[in-house]
């Protein structure tokens, strides 16, 4: 079983700071009787920052499909399929020099649209939704296999337009894969000890409490469904003693960005007009404007600005809000004022076309992940501009410093 993930590596040249970084693919091999092994291979996609992954999204998808085809053909034809073999084949194709017939066939196959065998390859979370999946016959016949049940469950939820629940279960499966180091998890292996070991693993890995609870609640839901179908003998006390509570506003402490980190985000050196710079500016604009949801910022138009006042209706609740624009918010708007033919104040949706807002939100999430890693706060999410603003204004002295004297700039 293999996992393909997409990553970006910045250039490490001290003498040439403008040297572009490179998009690379991390290929992980794992199995029930084998240790987890990783290899990385560079692509021919370069850019100033991680935003190039979104800019070159179609090329990245083509590379993922190529890697899958290399793996699939080697396995189906009984050829060696070590990570070194896969990397060598990929480099040969990218180099494009004197391809052997086998590799030529792989390249042609990778140009078509097809479903990926879920028992052979998994795709990293950020590109998982770009592919459709099928199960092999061996997986379909094995009722004890958790992955088979999860696959059928997510397919059913997707058909019912319950996409959010399907994504929750896929997220759980990725976490369990990391925990067990194997895709071969069987219902017969799951008991109260497995549940508590998983909970301990999440805690020691440093996963925040609300996310620990999310994974355990989702696992409980999946196992309850499997129990109703007679796939597992489950006791009611399995989840006693582990954290499955729903965290509300009282748990917002972990969602607050410190003034030091916020300052680093605001002053992070990003290429002008890059995707990362746009997402960073929208995040900071939301903070400067008393906390705003991504969907509200993305849909702002020129008519929402009346002098020094921002007026808009919240998309989620329909409530009208009026916010006085401070100097930092106005500086951000100034950067995007002269972009020709622009419908929105921020050009995030300009080229989205028929793409769903869920896809746009995922794009923003990936950009913030890169930004957060750059400033030493890898859990950064867009809604933190709201929780952070609320935390800061609850302390008047900090609020005065931030907004009257422009410390966060």
């Amino acid at each position: 079983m293999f996992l393909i993930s997409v990553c970006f590596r910045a250039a490490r040249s001290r003498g040439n700071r403008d040297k572009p970084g490179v998009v690379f693919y991390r290929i992980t091999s794992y199995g029930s009787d084998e240790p987890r092994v990783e290899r990385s291979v560079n692509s021919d996609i370069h850019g100033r920052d991680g935003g190039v992954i979104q800019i070159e999204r179609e090329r990245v998808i083509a590379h993922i499909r190529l890697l899958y085809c290399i793996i699939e053909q080697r396995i189906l034809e009984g050829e060696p399929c070590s990570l070194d073999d896969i990397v060598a084949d990929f480099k040969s194709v990218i180099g494009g020099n004197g391809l052997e017939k086998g590799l030529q066939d792989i390249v042609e196959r990778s140009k078509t649209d097809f479903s990926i065998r879920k028992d052979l390859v998994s795709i990293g979370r950020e590109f998982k939704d770009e592919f459709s999946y099928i199960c092999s016959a061996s997986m379909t016949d094995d009722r004890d296999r958790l992955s088979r049940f999860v696959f059928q469950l997510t397919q059913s939820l997707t058909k019912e337009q319950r996409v959010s629940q399907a994504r929750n279960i896929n997220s759980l499966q990725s976490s369990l894969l990391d925990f067990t180091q194997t895709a071969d998890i069987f219902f017969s292996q799951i008991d109260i000890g497995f549940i508590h070991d998983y909970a301990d693993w999440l805690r020691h890995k440093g996963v925040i409490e609300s996310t620990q609870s999310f994974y355990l609640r989702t696992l409980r839901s999946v196992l309850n469904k499997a129990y109703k179908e007679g796939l597992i003998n489950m006791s009611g006390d399995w989840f006693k003693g582990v954290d499955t509570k729903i965290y509300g506003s009282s748990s917002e402490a972990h969602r607050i960005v410190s003034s030091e980190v916020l300052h680093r985000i605001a002053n992070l050196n990003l290429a002008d007009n890059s995707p990362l710079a746009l997402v960073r500016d929208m995040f900071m604009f939301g903070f400067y404007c008393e906390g705003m949801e991504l969907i509200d910022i993305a849909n702002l138009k020129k008519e929402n600005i009346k002098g020094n006042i921002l007026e808009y209706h919240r998309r989620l609740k329909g409530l009208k809000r009026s916010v006085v624009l401070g100097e930092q918010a106005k500086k951000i708007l100034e950067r995007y004022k002269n972009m020709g033919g622009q419908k929105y104040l921020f050009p995030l949706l300009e080229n989205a076309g028929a793409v769903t807002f869920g896809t746009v939100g995922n794009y923003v999430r990936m950009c913030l992940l890169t930004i957060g890693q750059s400033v030493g706060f890898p859990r950064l999410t867009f809604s933190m501009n709201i929780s952070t603003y609320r935390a800061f204004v609850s302390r008047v002295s900090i609020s005065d410093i931030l907004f009257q004297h422009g410390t966060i700039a």
Side-chain angles (χ1 to χ4, degrees):
M1 183 76 179
F2 297 89
L3 170 67
I4 301 173
S5 302
V6 184
C7 309
F8 176 80
R9 182 186 298 113
R12 298 176 180 175
S13 173
R14 294 183 179 179
N16 182 7
R17 294 187 176 182
D18 292 329
K19 184 177 180 180
V22 63
V23 174
F24 69 95
Y25 305 101
R26 180 179 294 120
I27 311 167
T28 307
S29 172
Y30 53 89
S32 55
D33 300 319
E34 300 176 1
R36 187 182 180 103
V37 182
E38 292 183 354
R39 292 286 188 280
S40 297
V41 58
N42 288 349
S43 72
D44 56 356
I45 302 174
H46 297 81
R48 287 285 303 277
D49 53 48
V52 70
I53 293 177
Q54 301 301 331
I55 295 174
E56 299 289 351
R57 193 172 183 86
E58 292 303 317
R59 288 178 65 193
V60 171
I61 292 172
H63 283 168
I64 294 174
R65 189 172 281 119
L66 172 62
L67 283 166
Y68 171 82
C69 289
I70 290 171
I71 293 169
E72 181 189 57
Q73 182 155 316
R74 280 187 168 275
I75 291 176
L76 294 182
E77 294 188 358
E79 298 179 2
C81 195
S82 69
L83 293 179
D84 291 335
D85 295 323
I86 297 167
V87 168
D89 284 353
F90 183 79
K91 286 182 177 179
S92 295
V93 173
I94 294 298
N97 298 321
L99 293 181
E100 300 175 359
K101 172 126 185 2
L103 289 180
Q104 291 175 350
D105 292 341
I106 287 174
V107 171
E108 291 305 313
R109 157 82 163 140
S110 70
K111 293 178 181 178
T112 62
D113 188 16
F114 54 84
S115 296
I116 288 176
R117 278 183 53 178
K118 203 173 180 69
D119 60 319
L120 297 184
V121 174
S122 292
I123 308 300
R125 178 180 176 182
E126 64 272 24
F127 283 89
K128 183 183 290 290
D129 292 343
E130 298 289 347
F131 300 89
S132 58
Y133 302 88
I134 58 173
C135 283
S136 69
S138 61
M139 289 181 73
T140 304
D141 294 339
D142 190 358
R143 284 174 53 83
D144 189 38
R145 196 183 297 266
L146 176 64
S147 57
R148 165 189 174 272
F149 180 73
V150 165
F151 174 78
Q152 293 180 338
L153 186 59
T154 54
Q155 292 291 298
S156 176
L157 290 169
T158 301
K159 288 180 181 178
E160 295 172 8
Q161 302 299 311
R162 296 159 70 185
V163 177
S164 179
Q165 292 184 41
R167 286 177 177 169
N168 289 348
I169 294 173
N170 277 328
S171 180
L172 166 67
Q173 188 177 36
S174 296
S175 177
L176 287 174
L177 175 64
D178 197 14
F179 166 59
T180 61
Q181 300 286 295
T182 176
D184 294 328
I185 307 172
F186 297 93
F187 286 120
S188 55
Q189 297 173 317
I190 300 176
D191 55 17
I192 188 171
F194 180 96
I195 303 299
H196 283 257
D197 286 346
Y198 178 49
D200 288 341
W201 176 82
L202 288 169
R203 184 167 57 254
H204 289 120
K205 193 180 180 185
V207 177
I208 59 176
E209 291 179 342
S210 59
T211 305
Q212 293 177 40
S213 176
F214 160 76
Y215 283 134
L216 290 165
R217 292 198 315 273
T218 306
L219 177 58
R220 183 175 59 187
S221 175
V222 169
L223 294 182
N224 280 334
K225 289 179 172 62
Y227 174 76
K228 290 179 181 179
E229 295 191 19
L231 298 175
I232 187 172
N233 294 319
M234 181 178 172
S235 171
D237 63 353
W238 279 12
F239 286 85
K240 286 185 177 180
V242 299
D243 187 3
T244 56
K245 67 183 178 182
I246 298 176
Y247 284 77
S249 58
S250 61
S251 67
E252 279 201 339
H254 69 277
R255 298 182 56 79
I256 297 170
V257 181
S258 69
S259 57
E260 293 79 11
V261 171
L262 204 61
H263 184 82
R264 290 200 293 270
I265 293 172
N267 292 281
L268 189 61
N269 186 16
L270 299 171
D272 292 341
N273 301 321
S274 73
L276 291 181
L278 171 62
V279 171
R280 184 273 308 277
D281 288 345
M282 293 177 69
F283 176 88
M284 292 306 303
F285 183 83
F287 172 77
Y288 294 135
C289 293
E290 303 180 5
M292 291 182 66
E293 300 282 356
L294 172 62
I295 192 170
D296 292 328
I297 300 176
N299 283 283
L300 290 177
K301 299 178 181 178
K302 292 181 179 178
E303 50 263 38
N304 292 111
I305 305 295
K306 298 177 180 178
N308 288 333
I309 305 296
L310 168 66
E311 293 184 350
Y312 68 99
H313 285 83
R314 294 187 61 187
R315 287 283 179 133
L316 297 181
K317 296 185 178 180
L319 301 177
K320 184 177 179 179
R321 292 191 67 190
S322 296
V323 179
V324 178
L325 294 173
E327 291 303 316
Q328 303 305 329
K330 288 190 284 188
K331 283 181 181 179
I332 291 176
L333 290 177
E334 191 70 22
R335 294 175 200 162
Y336 301 93
K337 184 175 69 173
N338 296 321
M339 291 188 175
Q342 188 173 311
K343 179 179 178 181
Y344 302 100
L345 288 179
F346 295 96
L348 180 67
L349 301 180
E350 294 296 328
N351 300 317
V355 172
T356 65
F357 194 80
T359 300
V360 174
N362 186 57
Y363 163 81
V364 170
R365 182 183 66 81
M366 294 307 301
C367 288
L368 283 175
L369 179 63
T370 301
I371 293 170
Q373 291 171 341
S374 299
V375 298
F377 195 85
R379 296 172 183 167
L380 185 66
T381 63
F382 201 90
S383 61
M384 286 181 182
N385 86 74
I386 302 173
S387 53
T388 300
Y389 172 80
R390 290 172 178 168
F392 278 15
V393 296
S394 68
R395 294 169 285 182
V396 177
S397 60
I398 292 181
S399 176
D400 290 340
I401 293 173
L402 293 175
F403 298 101
Q404 293 182 18
H405 302 289
T407 299
I408 303 299

